Structures are given as structure tokens and as C-alpha cells.
Amino acid sequence: MANMKFELSQKAPQQISSEVLAIYVFQAEGQKAEFVSNEFFAQVDKALNGQLTAVCNSESFQGKSGSVVSLFSFEKIVPTKVAVIGLGKKSEFVLDDLRQTTGKFIKSINKKARAICISLPCGADEETADLLDVIVQSVELANYEFGKYHTQRDEQIKLSSVVLQVNKTENLSFLNKHIVHSQLYSQATILARDLVNEQPTVATPTYLANLAQNIAKSNPEITCKIFNRAQAEKLGMGGFLGIARAATIEPKFIFLEFKPKGNKSKRKLALIGKGITFDSGGINVKPGDHMQDMKMDMAGAASVLGVFSVIAKIKPDFTVIGCIAATPNLVSATSIVPGDVVKAYNGKTIEILNTDAEGRVTMADSLSYAVAQGATEIIDFATLTGAALVALGSDVAAMFANNQDLASKVKSAAFSAGEKVWELPLERDYKKLNKSDVADIANIPSSRYGGTITAALFLQEFVGNTPWIHFDIAGPAFAEKPSGLHPKGGTGFGVRTVLKLLENKGDLTDPGQVRMSIQNI
Ligand code: BES
Ligand code: MG
Ligand code: ZN
């Protein structure tokens, strides 16, 4: 878990005790191959008798985004080392530069420092609170590791304390509240990562259900209902139970509800997460290579649980429900087989043509259950199709929307959260590809092209006219390589976008205009 201690300081940077002091600088505008000094840099440089400038020059440091120069200070100043981090040209600077460069810097000092100091970028036009947000979350997320199964790591140096140095004119109590608030984002993201990275035999439907119940127990505004196999059967969740047939462990349908005290709003936002705790493919078994990655097939569920773990502190002023149909997709003598027909919660029948397209079959029930609960908006997260990786690569989520107002709000939230999404069309002409000869719809399309779109069109059949956003997160939910703010494995994709959205009290749709509100802390 995130156990990082953040502290604000208005002392001069060269006087703050730390193993590494990080200072950001911009690159010069135009063609000049040089960086631009600033007040914090100049103070430290002076205390070092100009050696900081000398080292930067000797290494031809130009302040390009992500470049770093560091120097041992030989006790001339309080910090043991100084790192100068380039942010690129100020005219091209966006908060994502700060996110990426900070993440890169934190990874570079991994296992090398326990206590550091970061000087907030001087001269950036963004508000200090926004800069702080980005730095706090980048530090915590870049520092994340899933280490619980390593047995020989006692000696390791772990970063645990960060002093954030700010200008003398800043209001510390305001900024301190902001840090606490910002940490909720990383805390929730880290919970989602841990759930994805956990071995599938541990992170079972029961494990997820217990977590949901514990979240509800510790928050009076949250309630939780869990339906076991028999109860889901009574409700008519034939899609979910069809996929769950192979498993000897209990599948669980998880329902969470956050209702703010004195709730006046009619809004009821539903968050749906695909909860396949392991996807073997079922009878249409997957090939062996990388099958271990299919423990990530509950990443959507993990993100929903991450959001609910902090939602009472974020305090949206409307109701939020969460639905997760949790089961593994396994091969056994009782598995669902191609040719079977199941009936979803909303009464629609689905012909199973491929047991590896199981996500949409379980989501048919969770989506239509949310509609029946009176959801006024639905957002779902699902590691649904390999085709999403083909279309948008490993970093960008495919987004679909049947309502453009909601779409633009969600896009702004994703933008300011630093999560990459791109909208694909719910192309009506492709609906015919999902036709079945024997049931209302088939679980795989008749063409292999546009597989992400046909999967989304399948889901659309279960949301009716409710404003709805679907995220296919097969790419960004799980990193095959370390990059940006995460190591290999679960990324917690979606958590920060939803949290931003929950805080978007007004109708702001401009990217960058979705601001956090801290009045409720
Ligand atoms: N869980 C997979 C999708 C997936 C693939 C997620 C790669 C992350 C990385 C899903 O259940 C699946 O197997 N989908 C099939 C659908 C096909 C049979 C229509 C796919 O994408 O191949
Ligand atoms: Mg409760
Ligand atoms: Zn599958």
C-alpha cells in the first residue's frame, strides 16, 4: 500500500534535508540548445559555487523533457545529491510532461533513496495545487511494486518520505489538504493494481466479494449485496451463470451502492467491471503463451472496487452503484459449450459460439441489472477484446458512447487524470454481424474485423437507452513492459478517470477544466 509521507516546506531547497533534491527546469525556446535557469536552480547553484551549472554544461544538458543530470554535493549543501530534471519547452509544456518526467525520475532512484525533496516547477503557468496533484500521484504510482511473493527483499531501500518544496507565498494548509486528497487517487489505483497482480487462485470471486463487503462495513454511506450461484439463478442471470458453470468455486455477483447523506440528486451512476478472475478461454481454450496474463481479466472489477474504496472521501453528491459478475472462465466437464443458449437478466437469449468471448456474456447480466436498478448513467470497464490492442495498442483504451454529453465529460475527466482514451463508433451497420440463427444474439460476430466494435455493439443490447460509456481496457489495464508510471502488470486503469468524473460537480467539458474540489475534506 501507499505509505508515502509527504510534507510541504518553504525553506530554501539547499537547506532541506534529503538524499536527493530534484529541481525542474525548462528548455530554452526556439533553436537554442540550453536550459532556462530559475529561482530554485539559481539558489542551489549559488550554494554550490556554480557547480550545478558547470555539470549541466559539461553534460550538454538542455532541459529536454525527461532528461536528468545529477550531482553529488559533497556536503556543501544539506541534500546529499541534486538532480536537475528537464521539462521541455515551456511553450509546449502540459501536465503530462510533469507526470512522465517525475515518474521516470522516481524509477531512476528506485532502491537508492529513502527520503527525497522535490522542488515544485518554477515558472509553470499551472496552479500549484494542480502541479502538486500530478507530482504526488506520480511519485506514489511510479514507486509501486507488487512485492508480496518475493522472499528475499528485507535489505531493500524504499522511498518513504518526500518533502515538497514550495514558494514562500503559498497557503500551506490549503496545499496540505490537497495532498491528502490527491493521495486518494493513488491509493485507489494501487488497490486496483494489487487485485490484478494477485494470483488468480487467491483473487477469487469470494475474495473480491469479501473486499466489497469490508468496504461497505467501514463506510456508513456504502451498502453491499452479494449473490451466490443459487441467488443469481433466482434472479435470472443466465449469462453469468453459464460462464460460471465450469467452476467448482462459488461465483459471486457483487452489488455496491454509495448513497450520500441527505441525497437530493436523481442521478444514479452505475460502474460496471468485467470480473473474470481467470480467463482460460473455456472449452475454446486459449493457446499457452501468456495465458498467465489472463489473471488480469478482472481488471475492470478491480477498478470499480478501487473507486469504491475511496468514494466516501471523494463525496460525490449523487448515488453511485457498482456491479461485478465475478467468476473464472474455466475448462471442466461442466463447462458451457459452443452451441449452448443462455438467457440474460433482461430476457434476451445469447447463443454461445465461442466460450472465449465470455466477458460480454457475463456483462450482459451486470449491465441489465444496473438498468433495472434505475441507473441514470452507466460506465463499464472490461478487458474485452484482443482486437482493442490491435486497434489502439497497449496504452490507449477504446471508448464507446451512446450519448455525446456524457462522452465529452468522460473524455475531459480522462484527459485531466492522464489516462489515454480514444472513441470508436457504435457502427449500426455492423450490428448484423452479431446475428444468431437460433437466439436473439450470438456471442461472437461473423467477421473477425472490427472485433472491438462488434463486442461493444453486443453490450449495447443490454443497456437500452440509458446513457452509457463502454471502455475496452484490454490494452492499458495490464502492462507487458514497465513504462510511464507503472511496472509490469496491473495499472489500475480507469480509477483516476472515474474519480475525476465524480468530482466534476459542474458541467465542465473543457479538457483541463475538470478541477478537484477539496471543500468536502
Ligand atoms: N479476455 C479476453 C480479451 C483479452 C485479450 C484481454 C488480450 C486482454 C488481452 C476475452 O475474453 C477474449 O478472449 N476475447 C476474444 C473474443 C473473440 C473470441 C471474439 C478475443 O479477443 O480473442
Ligand atoms: Mg456501509
Ligand atoms: Zn475470453
Side-chain angles (χ1 to χ4, degrees):
M1 280 309 291
N3 260 330
M4 196 74 68
K5 194 178 122 230
F6 289 97
E7 206 184 313
L8 289 165
S9 171
Q10 289 174 312
K11 279 200 218 164
Q14 68 274 21
Q15 281 158 12
I16 299 172
S17 165
S18 62
E19 291 160 52
V20 186
L21 163 68
I23 306 174
Y24 299 96
V25 297
F26 287 108
Q27 185 183 355
E29 298 294 333
Q31 301 302 316
K32 279 194 211 146
E34 58 189 43
F35 67 94
V36 187
S37 181
N38 62 42
E39 189 190 323
F40 294 152
F41 181 98
Q43 282 179 32
V44 179
D45 193 37
K46 193 168 165 214
L48 288 170
N49 304 324
Q51 278 174 339
L52 200 52
T53 303
V55 171
C56 286
N57 290 341
S58 78
E59 298 199 13
S60 321
F61 174 74
Q62 301 169 19
K64 284 194 176 149
S65 188
S67 54
V68 181
V69 155
S70 59
L71 162 79
F72 199 72
S73 70
F74 294 104
E75 293 175 10
K76 285 199 189 105
I77 56 174
V78 182
T80 314
K81 271 185 174 177
V82 181
V84 185
I85 306 174
L87 286 175
K89 291 179 183 167
K90 188 176 161 180
S91 59
E92 291 164 11
F93 177 73
V94 286
L95 283 176
D96 211 45
D97 289 305
L98 185 60
R99 211 173 260 129
Q100 299 306 327
T101 54
T102 306
K104 206 166 155 192
F105 164 68
I106 292 296
K107 284 185 173 174
S108 75
I109 59 161
N110 185 22
K111 303 189 182 72
K112 293 184 194 143
R114 291 187 179 87
I116 62 168
C117 171
I118 300 179
S119 281
L120 257 68
C122 253
D125 294 332
E126 277 73 11
E127 286 180 41
T128 308
D130 291 340
L131 298 170
L132 259 187
D133 260 359
V134 168
I135 293 176
V136 165
Q137 291 170 32
S138 303
V139 169
E140 292 196 315
L141 294 176
N143 195 52
Y144 171 80
E145 291 188 308
F146 184 70
K148 79 183 263 201
Y149 293 114
H150 288 289
T151 59
Q152 279 155 2
R153 290 204 163 181
D154 322 353
E155 305 284 313
Q156 274 190 10
I157 296 175
K158 254 194 131 352
L159 179 62
S160 61
S161 143
V162 181
V163 177
L164 299 157
Q165 185 248 326
V166 296
N167 248 314
K168 291 221 166 67
T169 53
E170 299 288 353
N171 174 344
L172 288 191
S173 81
F174 168 79
L175 293 181
N176 265 319
K177 279 187 189 167
H178 213 81
I179 291 175
V180 174
H181 189 78
S182 189
Q183 283 185 283
L184 297 173
Y185 278 59
S186 7
Q187 188 192 316
T189 307
I190 285 171
L191 173 62
R193 288 181 179 184
D194 279 342
L195 292 172
V196 170
N197 291 333
E198 185 53 89
Q199 52 170 318
T201 298
V202 172
T204 58
T206 299
Y207 184 89
L208 301 181
N210 288 344
L211 172 64
Q213 270 171 327
N214 286 336
I215 290 172
K217 251 184 234 150
S218 46
N219 293 291
E221 292 164 303
I222 303 179
T223 50
C224 174
K225 273 192 270 182
I226 306 291
F227 305 120
N228 62 20
R229 199 189 294 266
Q231 291 161 323
E233 179 103 55
K234 269 201 196 123
L235 288 169
M237 296 182 165
F240 167 46
L241 291 176
I243 302 305
R245 239 165 62 186
T248 51
I249 56 169
E250 269 292 313
K252 302 281 183 186
F253 189 90
I254 303 167
F255 179 74
L256 279 159
E257 181 162 25
F258 166 82
K259 244 194 215 144
K261 260 181 245 143
N263 180 31
K264 290 189 198 82
S265 168
K266 290 204 175 81
R267 274 182 83 182
K268 191 186 258 193
L269 168 67
L271 301 173
I272 317 289
K274 175 175 172 184
I276 299 296
T277 54
F278 182 74
D279 181 15
S280 71
I283 292 291
N284 295 94
V285 67
K286 285 184 183 294
D289 39 318
H290 288 287
M291 203 200 263
Q292 67 276 15
D293 291 353
M294 282 303 134
K295 66 178 181 179
M296 59 108 122
D297 221 14
M298 38 58 80
S303 292
V304 172
L305 290 168
V307 168
F308 271 90
S309 72
V310 299
I311 199 168
K313 290 189 178 131
I314 298 285
K315 295 187 197 294
D317 53 9
F318 50 89
T319 300
V320 183
I321 62 175
C323 303
I324 296 166
T327 177
N329 181 28
L330 297 177
V331 192
S332 88
T334 55
S335 291
I336 196 161
V337 296
D340 277 348
V341 175
V342 295
K343 189 182 259 188
Y345 181 76
N346 71 348
K348 285 198 181 173
T349 54
I350 304 167
E351 183 187 14
I352 306 296
L353 292 176
N354 186 318
T355 60
D356 199 9
E358 80 298 334
R360 65 196 79 185
V361 181
T362 61
M363 304 261 305
D365 285 336
S366 40
L367 290 167
S368 47
Y369 188 77
V371 172
Q373 295 308 303
T376 57
E377 294 137 285
I378 300 177
I379 303 179
D380 81 66
F381 291 93
T383 46
L384 205 61
T385 65
L389 277 142
V390 177
L392 296 172
S394 57
D395 292 359
V396 182
M399 176 183 148
F400 294 85
N402 65 358
N403 177 297
Q404 285 307 313
D405 275 351
L406 184 57
S408 64
K409 280 188 200 156
V410 172
K411 278 183 203 165
S412 327
F415 179 85
S416 62
E419 296 191 304
K420 295 167 198 166
V421 308
W422 193 257
E423 190 175 353
L424 297 180
L426 287 165
E427 177 50 55
R428 282 193 302 185
D429 277 353
Y430 295 171
K431 278 192 185 173
K432 56 179 178 289
L433 301 173
N434 284 332
K435 277 198 175 145
S436 156
D437 295 335
V438 300
D440 297 337
I441 195 164
N443 86 322
I444 56 162
S446 53
S447 162
R448 62 191 183 91
Y449 298 126
T452 303
I453 298 178
T454 45
L457 289 168
F458 178 100
L459 298 185
Q460 193 178 14
E461 295 299 316
F462 300 90
V463 296
N465 294 323
T466 312
W468 161 69
I469 304 286
H470 160 55
F471 281 111
D472 193 329
I473 57 170
F478 193 83
E480 276 166 32
K481 282 189 246 133
S483 96
L485 301 182
H486 48 73
K488 271 184 172 185
T491 61
F493 189 95
V495 170
R496 284 168 291 148
T497 294
V498 173
L499 294 181
K500 280 278 180 196
L501 195 69
L502 295 180
E503 298 199 90
N504 184 5
K505 302 225 155 57
D507 257 335
L508 305 169
T509 50
D510 244 10
Q513 289 297 303
V514 184
R515 297 287 314 281
M516 285 184 149
S517 64
I518 62 157
Q519 67 268 29
N520 288 324
I521 294 180

